[in-house]
Amino acid sequence: MKPIVFGLFIFATFLFVNAVNAQSPHQTIRGRIVDTDSKSAIPFANVTIDNSNPLIGEISDIDGNFKIENVTVGRVTLSVSSLGYERVTVPNILLISGKETVLNIEMKESFQQLDQVEIRAYKKGESTNEMAISSAKQLSIEESKRHAGAISDPARLVSSFAGIINEGSGNNDIIVRGNNPRFIQWRLEDIEIPNPNHFAIEGLTGGPINALNSQMLANSAFYSGAFASQYGNALSGIFDMKLRKGNDERQEYSFSLGVLGLDFTAEGPISKKNNSSYLVNYRYSTLSLLDDIGLVDFGGVPRYQDLSFKFYFPTKKAGIFTFFGLGGASKIGFVTTDEEDDEIILEDGSQYSNLAVTGLKHFIPLGNNTYLKSIVSYGFNGSKLIEKRPYEEEILKEFYNASLNNQTSRLLSTLHHKINSKHNFQAGLMYAHSNFDFENRYFSIPQNQYLKGQENEGVANFTEGYFNWKWRVSALLTAINGVHVSKSNLNDKVYIEPRLALKYQLDESQNINAAFGLHSKMASLPNHYALVYQPNGNYSMPNKNLELMQASHYVIGYENLLNSNLFLKLEAYYQHLYNIPVEDKLGSLYSLINQDDYFVDKALVNEGEGKNIGLELTLERYFSNQYYFLLTTSFYDSKYKAKNRAWKNSRYNGNYVGNFLFGKEFTVGRKNSNDKTIGVNSRITFLGGRRYTSIDLEESIKQEKQVENEGQYLGDKADDVFYLNIAISYRVNKQKLSHEVKLDIQNLTNNNTAIDYYYNNVKKEIDEIPQLSMFPVMSYTVHF
């Protein structure tokens, strides 16, 4: 089935559903209002809809709950006020007829006495983490559905933020401030998880499709440096994703059919008596389904499916229990043939990946100002990769076979205590226990035999603890002090990491902030347990006891809410990376800062360094009057130092990146009605190319493998990457049903910049790895 035929099928389905007549639709907004620090309910808060005439609003009950019914669909802004608390504005909430809007609104207690309450503006996009001051960005899930190129994938959404780069290959690698993408950490429901992308490999962080569907997510957060002391085992960034709670009053369903998958979401009450609820999503690869029934016929059909869920059980005395999970399975076969003769196979292979995460969270208040949060979780990620190529008389010879499996159990417990509006404390402990099984072998052409890369079964443990103290020194000055402690069982060293952040409010719209922190991260287990060969053919495991990699972060920022809808942010940073594993060979240029494979076959020592320095600018016009724009730009320099003791460009030193996003909505149909809306969104991205090492073609042909030019490691820079994404959507609201058809075209101009190069041993030439070509994504979604 050609893409145009598939698109026409989706569009016909949309027209069929749209044929139903209905009256002007309305919807309900409801939720709960809590104290930011203690998470206790705020009763009798005033909740109103801005610019409603007559004024529409409600007052929260004794448990902080509110409910506003019969609100016309479209975009609304909520204002929340309560005596003793700073006013909160929640702008541009999108109401659709097929799904209730359920909010959890947090309010900050006023620093001053009740008769002197100071009201300040609320900034959209500000992190809800009360311990985060610098380099933090809240992700709106509505944005991930709206922004061009995001294709409802939160990992793609963050690449539009300042200082965060996606290289343009179509992979979900996230490069933060010039750091290696494997230096970030993925989290779900407050606990570290394995890489949540389909087609992922243990030890790497990317993959083309996130297994967690955005239909499941609540607003989440991304931290790009100097993060609070509750976060550890990361050097560059934290992706902290949260699952939303299912509707606890009525059953709701969503169905989506698109190029990337067919998925179904269900949610509703388990018991209305205790407000328990469920939320479940399942997705299956559309192309895999079409291949199964014989409608497509080509090599390399991506097959994947995923399941995610959250069950919410509140109790009267024992607290709140949440059972959550995420699972995914993916496989793909790939065949590369000669451009001139497709009978000549250049490469044949297959890749399999599996992911499973499940956890039980318990939240219990211990009085009005204290609560305890505990989580027990289990995570599994497994991958298998097989590559075959023609060799001598053999049509296809297996050159690579790897099987990597890792399962980790985690325990986390955190205590939060609010003394008053000035002082808030957090303390936590986390323990992780990993069981792994790594096997791989590869064919060595010079030695004409198979070698083992890894053959290990074992365990590894990682322990962390932290303490945070938030001190509101005055109404204008806030200080956050903390310390994080890390310990791996693979070495004897204990890492003590102090953190400090300050924020000074110049006036109601401007603030300056600064942050400092020491951070550490464990190298991936495949690196620790790699087999390294000696010239005599013997091998050893010299990297098992590597120490943690470390970094010190310094950040200073300025924020200005220029008007109610226009926000300016400037941030400068410096990062010093040290204790980085580098090859234990005098004159070597190899460092884990530049690693782009899942394990290294070299003996390493913790003697490397790195440094990143940069300036970031964000100018954002929040969605208002049916349009928005976002301009982000970053200028940075990323260097590293290996055994040769000279500063060199790192692999990810692109030097600059710029994004411009613009979106506009048009209401069509009846006058003064939001029943039908057309949305047009665009994104323009320009980023500096990665560094690469030139290939010695003559020597590669002689040795029958890729040989890079010695002494020129990462000495060349690929061309700059440009792409334009366009998304067009048409949303219709009917009574108790809403649906949307959307076309999201990535790389509309079909630029094919070479982002890297490799030696093709069959063709005996150097080939390019181009950026992702034009890729149209058509989808149809209905909520009911």
Side-chain angles (χ1 to χ4, degrees), residues 553-611:
H553 290 189
Y554 305 83
V555 180
I556 185 168
Y558 168 75
E559 298 179 347
N560 190 342
L561 193 64
L562 300 173
N563 59 45
S564 59
N565 292 314
L566 190 61
F567 175 61
L568 172 68
K569 180 177 181 178
L570 290 168
E571 203 159 66
Y573 64 87
Y574 174 76
Q575 300 175 346
H576 175 220
L577 285 68
Y578 56 101
N579 226 38
I580 305 298
V582 296
E583 185 178 12
D584 190 14
K585 181 180 177 182
L586 191 62
S588 172
L589 297 171
Y590 186 84
S591 168
L592 285 195
I593 282 179
N594 303 308
Q595 186 180 13
D596 62 351
D597 204 351
Y598 72 89
F599 85 103
V600 60
D601 59 355
K602 309 176 189 298
L604 305 175
V605 290
N606 291 93
E607 297 180 8
E609 293 183 70
K611 58 182 179 181

Side-chain angles (χ1 to χ4, degrees), residues 296-337:
V296 297
D297 183 19
F298 60 87
V301 173
R303 297 176 175 272
Y304 56 88
Q305 56 184 319
D306 47 65
L307 172 72
S308 50
F309 61 85
K310 181 174 182 177
F311 295 91
Y312 180 82
F313 300 99
T315 66
K316 291 184 178 180
K317 295 183 179 180
I320 300 172
F321 294 87
T322 304
F323 180 50
F324 63 91
L326 168 66
S330 54
K331 61 180 179 179
I332 188 170
F334 48 90
V335 178
T336 304
T337 59

Side-chain angles (χ1 to χ4, degrees), residues 193-207:
I193 63 170
N195 179 359
N197 288 294
H198 285 301
F199 308 104
I201 296 178
E202 166 68 19
L204 302 181
T205 63

Side-chain angles (χ1 to χ4, degrees), residues 173-185:
D173 279 334
I174 301 173
I175 301 167
V176 183
R177 293 178 170 173
N179 284 288
N180 193 308
R182 70 189 64 206
F183 288 175
I184 75 163
Q185 180 189 117

Side-chain angles (χ1 to χ4, degrees), residues 472-493:
R472 299 182 68 185
V473 183
S474 70
L476 302 177
L477 178 63
T478 299
I480 297 177
N481 308 278
V483 63
H484 188 96
V485 181
S486 300
K487 173 69 174 69
S488 166
N489 75 314
L490 299 182
N491 56 69
D492 296 327
K493 191 171 181 179

Side-chain angles (χ1 to χ4, degrees), residues 394-407:
E394 300 181 60
I395 297 177
L396 286 175
K397 183 179 185 64
E398 186 176 274
F399 267 72
Y400 200 76
N401 189 320
S403 177
L404 308 171
N405 299 291
N406 185 18
Q407 51 186 333

Side-chain angles (χ1 to χ4, degrees), residues 15-29:
L15 292 178
F16 174 76
V17 177
N18 193 33
V20 180
N21 292 320
Q23 298 177 350
S24 296
H26 293 77
Q27 191 51 273
T28 296
I29 304 176

